[in-house]
Amino acid sequence: MSTPAPTASTFALAPHTPALAPAGPHPSPHAAPPHRLPSETPRRPVSPVVVIDPHPTDVFTDRLLAVLSGQRPVHWMLRHTAGRAYDELARLAERGPLRTRGTRPVVRDIGYYEPRPGAFEAFARIGAGDQLRAMAFRLERGRDLRWRCTAVEMGGPRTLHTDDD
């Protein structure tokens, strides 16, 4: 079966409809562009930003530096310590080993060792002017998955403490 050839009467012409114009008066060519709502504002594609949580040793180095330099009070670390670490930190903070005049102490380097999953033994080199100090601490992850400092020391001779301290 063949299809008949198209003729002029075969095609129906759609009536011409003008493009829809905005309601109201026509804007002048010199008028400012219409205000757009934020949802109508064209946006360029945004590349995904990957946020990486800082390593626990970095976070605790900054926290301990803030306390030992006098920028924060010792009790600021109370919920971030476990065991004797708070007492050790309080003794160190009394001496103010990182308090300096003029130059604010900064972290120069951080290193750590993971003796077992959920524990880090870390060191930090702290610089203030021409002085360089060493700080060591241990972090352990609790059952609540929060990291806590369980030991802290500063470079120099160690003072031995009894259980009565």
Side-chain angles (χ1 to χ4, degrees):
M1 178 175 203
S2 70
T3 328
T7 62
S9 62
T10 313
F11 293 105
L13 297 174
H16 175 67
T17 54
L20 296 177
H26 293 291
S28 121
H30 303 291
H35 177 72
R36 291 184 175 184
L37 297 174
S39 62
E40 298 174 349
T41 304
R43 299 181 190 253
R44 60 187 163 144
V46 178
S47 59
V49 176
V50 178
V51 177
I52 300 173
D53 287 336
H55 197 272
T57 57
D58 296 343
V59 172
F60 274 83
T61 298
D62 289 339
R63 288 176 180 170
L64 292 169
L65 174 62
V67 170
L68 296 174
S69 64
Q71 298 170 37
R72 291 282 188 164
V74 179
H75 68 267
W76 184 61
M77 287 292 293
L78 190 57
R79 65 188 189 111
H80 302 292
T81 56
R84 297 194 52 116
Y86 183 80
D87 296 331
E88 293 169 5
L89 185 59
R91 280 190 196 93
L92 286 171
E94 282 176 6
R95 296 191 326 232
L98 298 177
R99 287 192 182 133
T100 59
R101 290 186 182 171
T103 308
R104 190 177 199 161
V106 294
V107 178
R108 298 279 173 98
D109 188 27
I110 301 172
Y112 64 92
Y113 168 71
E114 188 173 5
R116 64 172 172 79
F120 290 111
E121 293 179 354
F123 73 87
R125 292 185 189 101
I126 311 294
D130 59 351
Q131 257 189 352
L132 189 64
R133 301 290 308 265
M135 177 173 60
F137 57 96
R138 180 178 173 89
L139 300 178
E140 293 186 20
R141 195 172 209 173
R143 290 183 186 159
D144 59 358
L145 302 180
R146 290 180 43 212
W147 290 98
R148 288 183 181 81
C149 181
T150 58
V152 61
E153 294 180 3
M154 287 296 300
R158 260 200 248 175
T159 55
L160 298 176
H161 303 284
T162 64
D163 290 335
D164 297 334
D165 288 343

